[in-house]
Amino acid sequence: MFPLVRHRAGASAAETKWHVVSAAREAEAVWERFVIARETVGLRLAEGRGDDGVPPVVVTGERPVRTAAAGPGSVVPVWRDGLDVGVLAPDCRRLVDVLAGGSGSGGEAMDCRQLALALGLQAVPVKVEGVRSKAKRLVARGWLTGARPGEFSVVGGS
């Protein structure tokens, strides 16, 4: 899909740089479209589940909403009053539990390296970035808050 950028004999460094930057921009655009498509498919699949025996989640003052049991890779719902941590995927649930003090952290803000260690993961960049990605998604959906840049904590009340 993406042409390999090769340095031609006689090509200037600026020309080679332009080709590399163009290929990177195209790859980034494709990745963004993939992420949007994945989230859209997840939302559509969640809507089309109908009556599958899962009890509805009732939020005070609103009509009941059916939610399926969350599994790995499921879309993180936006937090609102009445939603329980049980609607989150297992990895996200563990992350919120650790920040809430369930693993002896005392409910204090933690950075991603500390979170990875508290979750029993190695503090290697790939694992830390995975935790950071999940934590940022939980912040964007209102389940966590960014206490300071790079640190996360539970929102009061969840």
Side-chain angles (χ1 to χ4, degrees), residues 50-102:
D51 188 20
D52 54 2
V54 178
V57 174
V58 180
V59 178
T60 309
E62 293 183 11
R63 62 188 184 103
V65 177
R66 291 209 177 270
T67 59
S74 49
V75 177
V76 177
V78 176
W79 183 86
R80 61 182 184 265
D81 286 332
L83 274 185
D84 185 54
V85 182
V87 301
L88 295 174
D91 290 343
C92 293
R93 216 179 0 239
R94 285 182 54 215
L95 206 148
V96 172
D97 182 48
V98 165
L99 285 170

Side-chain angles (χ1 to χ4, degrees), residues 24-48:
R25 285 187 182 139
E26 184 180 347
E28 186 175 5
V30 168
W31 178 251
E32 288 176 6
R33 288 193 302 270
F34 169 77
V35 170
I36 291 168
R38 182 173 182 254
E39 288 179 355
T40 303
V41 167
L43 290 172
R44 295 296 178 239
L45 289 175
E47 289 173 357

Side-chain angles (χ1 to χ4, degrees), residues 4-19:
L4 264 155
V5 178
R6 294 186 182 158
H7 183 71
R8 293 182 312 150
S12 69
E15 184 180 345
T16 302
K17 177 184 171 190
W18 182 84
H19 285 291

